[in-house]
Amino acid sequence: MSVDITRLDSGLTVVTDTMAHLETAALGVWTGVGGRDEKPNEHGISHLLEHMAFKGTTNRSSREIVEEIEAVGGDLNAGTSTETTAYYARVMKADVPLALDVLSDILANPSFVPDELEREKNVIVQEIGAAQDTPDDVVFEHLNELCYPDQPMGRSLLGTAKTLKRFDRDMLRGYLATHYRGPEMVVAAAGSVDHNQVVEEVARRFASFNGEPAPKPQAAMFGQGGSRVVHRELEQAHLTLALEGVPQTDLSLFSLQVFTNTLGGGMSSRLFQEVREKRGLCYSIYAFHAPYTDTGFFGLYTGTDPADAPEMMEVVVDVISDAVETLTEAEVARAKAQMKAGLLMALESCSSRAEQLARHVLAYGRPQTVEELVARIDAVSVESARNAARALMSRSRPAVVALGSGRGLDTAVNFAEGLTTLKAKARLH
């Protein structure tokens, strides 16, 4: 890797990774603002602002934006998450200046034409409707609410039809001016790029993004756990469970990730082998850990026949409880190999490299090298993974949500609520 980083006087960071053997480049603007930065009357505005970025500027119409990029064979996209919003492009190496010009234009000079705004708000209402028809989305929306009650972290990124209706161009301009500041922004590029050229282009085109750092979001507070059963006529029961994880900078992050992978990270994981392969109770089951700035979210999902929901959750709780104390050297070695392979495979893509650079700068203040990351994975031991798992079990009560029909859902969530109690084993047997 040939990584260079420059911080401009505005506070904006430019970071590049030159991959000389490529003929293309991936680049984008990552901002440290997302759903958790929204006030109650701003619910959904981060996502709407991302949509409106492509709906015209004072220099280009919405059609001209996409035509200019696609005329050179490139593409544009964007995405909003809990803590970040990203706008990115993939182009041939000669068109890097054009991509930076378009990206800076959509952020510095948005027109927010009222007719376009109303149309896009309606598009997002349709997106909300589609999400409500998707059980996986619905069950996790309820789980987030349960884990982060009365907080931005617990609200859907999409907003609601009611909150969207209130947004106008002045609110969008105000939110953009408040949160899109140089110290909170990273321009990252990877592939066939020249660092000095990118710095020169960014310094000129993004000069308006300066000022003091944006206000910090409300600190996340993981809730008291508990359960929720959402009744809906569905073929399957959708079961989710969450525990408070660890933040991005926590020293135990990689150990917890290894435990999570051995538990439910692939076809060789304990949950997949026990629940699907041995018992045939489900088609899909997985566990994951999502780290944030000041908290973490350990989650588990599966779907099963409503009549099998109690047995499913009983087995899940049993497998988790057992894994905490019986994790083996072979399992840890396998999880570490999977993590290293995933890391190195991702680095073969310039898009993945650019995204990783930006996320590292936002989280750690600098890019972490491959050697550093591999060393952190290699440092995980059976004992450190077990300790991370024990800490996970003691940090919070589980939050459990079941979505579907049938009387077995209440029994299922009761099993799950006993996961972190000392009497969990006794209740199960």
Side-chain angles (χ1 to χ4, degrees):
M1 293 176 67
S2 177
V3 176
D4 294 290
I5 183 168
T6 299
R7 286 187 174 81
L8 305 180
D9 291 341
S10 64
L12 188 150
T13 300
V14 181
V15 58
T16 64
D17 186 354
T18 302
M19 304 165 71
H21 62 288
L22 297 185
E23 293 295 321
T24 63
L27 63 156
V29 185
W30 278 260
T31 64
V33 57
R36 70 173 302 181
D37 293 273
E38 298 167 353
K39 298 174 183 175
N41 68 330
E42 296 172 334
H43 181 201
I45 198 170
S46 299
H47 179 249
L48 175 61
L49 182 58
E50 172 232 310
H51 272 237
M52 288 303 299
F54 299 106
K55 295 304 174 181
T57 73
T58 55
N59 302 308
R60 295 175 171 93
S61 68
S62 58
R63 182 166 183 168
E64 288 171 335
I65 290 171
V66 294
E67 284 186 345
E68 281 196 51
I69 290 293
E70 293 186 357
V72 297
D75 62 79
L76 280 171
N77 214 329
T80 307
S81 68
T82 302
E83 295 190 319
T84 62
T85 308
Y87 307 82
Y88 43 90
R90 181 79 184 269
V91 293
M92 302 296 288
K93 64 181 180 182
D95 301 310
V96 168
L98 171 64
L100 288 171
D101 182 42
V102 171
L103 289 170
S104 63
D105 192 26
I106 64 177
L107 293 178
N109 308 302
S111 55
F112 298 141
V113 175
D115 287 348
E116 289 279 11
L117 177 56
E118 291 308 309
R119 275 194 291 272
E120 205 58 31
K121 284 157 68 171
N122 190 59
V123 168
I124 296 176
V125 169
Q126 305 310 312
E127 188 178 355
I128 292 170
Q132 290 303 309
D133 286 340
T134 308
D136 296 17
D137 291 344
V138 174
V139 75
F140 274 106
E141 186 173 317
H142 282 281
L143 187 65
N144 281 332
E145 288 178 1
L146 196 57
C147 291
Y148 300 103
D150 302 316
Q151 300 170 63
M153 290 280 291
R155 296 197 291 257
S156 163
L157 291 171
L158 302 180
T160 67
K162 183 177 180 180
T163 58
L164 285 168
K165 186 177 181 179
R166 292 198 298 261
F167 298 147
D168 56 29
R169 63 194 306 184
D170 290 335
M171 289 186 71
L172 286 173
R173 290 189 188 283
Y175 193 78
L176 180 66
T178 299
H179 293 283
Y180 283 60
R181 303 284 186 86
E184 316 298 331
M185 298 174 71
V186 178
V187 174
S192 186
V193 295
D194 177 87
H195 181 75
N196 291 332
Q197 181 190 44
V198 174
V199 169
E200 182 180 337
E201 294 279 350
V202 171
R204 179 161 56 91
R205 300 184 189 281
F206 289 82
S208 62
F209 294 98
N210 51 30
E212 296 298 315
K216 297 296 182 184
Q218 174 185 337
M221 297 292 292
F222 200 87
Q224 299 299 311
S227 62
R228 182 180 298 179
V229 176
V230 183
H231 294 284
R232 184 181 287 193
E233 289 299 322
L234 298 169
E235 289 296 319
Q236 276 202 319
H238 297 265
L239 308 173
T240 57
L241 179 151
L243 293 163
E244 183 179 5
V246 298
Q248 184 77 48
T249 55
D250 193 278
L251 295 178
S252 70
L253 175 63
F254 281 59
S255 293
L256 179 55
Q257 189 61 57
V258 165
F259 171 75
T260 303
N261 286 359
T262 63
L263 181 66
M267 294 175 66
S268 65
S269 67
R270 290 198 180 196
L271 285 171
F272 191 93
Q273 286 294 313
E274 182 66 30
V275 175
R276 174 171 162 158
E277 297 298 281
K278 291 184 181 179
R279 298 173 185 257
L281 288 173
C282 70
Y283 173 74
S284 174
I285 185 166
Y286 61 87
F288 64 93
H289 178 260
Y292 298 105
T293 302
D294 57 352
T295 187
F297 184 94
F298 170 90
L300 181 148
Y301 165 85
T302 189
T304 191
D305 187 282
D308 292 329
E311 181 187 358
M312 165 68 83
M313 197 58 85
E314 182 176 5
V315 174
V316 165
V317 170
D318 209 14
V319 170
I320 296 174
S321 300
D322 185 61
V324 173
E325 300 300 335
T326 64
L327 210 59
T328 67
E329 290 278 2
E331 288 176 311
V332 169
R334 186 163 56 242
K336 289 162 66 172
Q338 290 174 324
M339 290 171 65
K340 285 189 285 188
L343 169 66
L344 296 173
M345 288 176 184
L347 293 179
E348 295 179 0
S349 159
C350 57
S351 297
S352 295
R353 284 198 186 203
E355 180 177 3
Q356 179 175 287
L357 289 172
R359 294 192 181 282
H360 281 185
V361 171
L362 289 172
Y364 306 110
R366 65 173 182 84
Q368 295 201 328
T369 67
V370 175
E371 292 75 18
E372 284 180 282
L373 295 170
V374 169
R376 290 186 66 184
I377 296 171
D378 283 337
V380 177
S381 64
V382 171
E383 193 55 34
S384 73
R386 287 180 180 175
N387 286 338
R390 293 178 188 122
L392 177 70
M393 295 299 119
S394 63
R395 194 176 294 116
S396 67
R397 288 181 59 215
V400 192
V401 175
L403 170 71
S405 60
R407 289 178 292 181
L409 299 189
D410 293 290
T411 304
V413 298
N414 287 337
F415 277 129
E417 282 194 85
L419 173 64
T420 57
T421 67
L422 294 175
K423 296 181 180 179
K425 286 277 188 178
R427 287 180 60 188
L428 294 173
H429 297 291

